[in-house]
Amino acid sequence: MSDDMSDDDGDHKVARRTERRRGPSTYTLSFGGIIAVAGLVASGVATYNTLQNDIATLKRGELYQERTNERLDDEIKSMRAEQRETLKEFNDKLDRIIEKWTRGRKP
């Protein structure tokens, strides 16, 4: 009877090993796993594209800002030149008025 008990225990251990082997292997990539990996890759690609678009937008914004600054610098220089010319004309007229006024006051 002891042999029957040990045989039963041995058969039971073999059955357990066989059951473990019948299950999915840890190395088996299931269809769901493939879908999950594909989803992660697609998400990564979308994120990369979004970042590239954002960088391109920032570069366009910087270029626009540089051009705007250059245009404003040119306008400021032009306005300063006009202001200098206007002040020169004003001073010349003022000098003439002062000259006439001082000549007129002399008896």
Side-chain angles (χ1 to χ4, degrees), residues 35-101:
I35 297 297
V37 169
L40 287 172
V41 169
S43 175
V45 168
T47 302
Y48 176 80
N49 287 336
T50 300
L51 288 174
Q52 289 299 320
N53 289 337
D54 289 348
I55 290 168
T57 300
L58 288 172
K59 286 182 180 178
R60 281 193 301 272
E62 288 175 10
L63 183 60
Y64 175 78
Q65 189 64 48
E66 287 174 10
R67 288 180 182 165
T68 301
N69 289 345
E70 288 172 4
R71 186 172 36 89
L72 289 174
D73 285 344
D74 292 343
E75 288 179 17
I76 289 170
K77 288 176 187 174
S78 174
M79 290 181 78
R80 285 181 179 163
E82 288 176 20
Q83 185 181 26
R84 278 193 299 271
E85 185 63 31
T86 302
L87 283 174
K88 185 177 182 274
E89 289 174 8
F90 175 77
N91 284 333
D92 290 345
K93 287 181 181 179
L94 191 59
D95 287 345
R96 277 186 254 132
I97 291 171
I98 290 172
E99 276 181 37
K100 286 181 184 179
W101 185 69

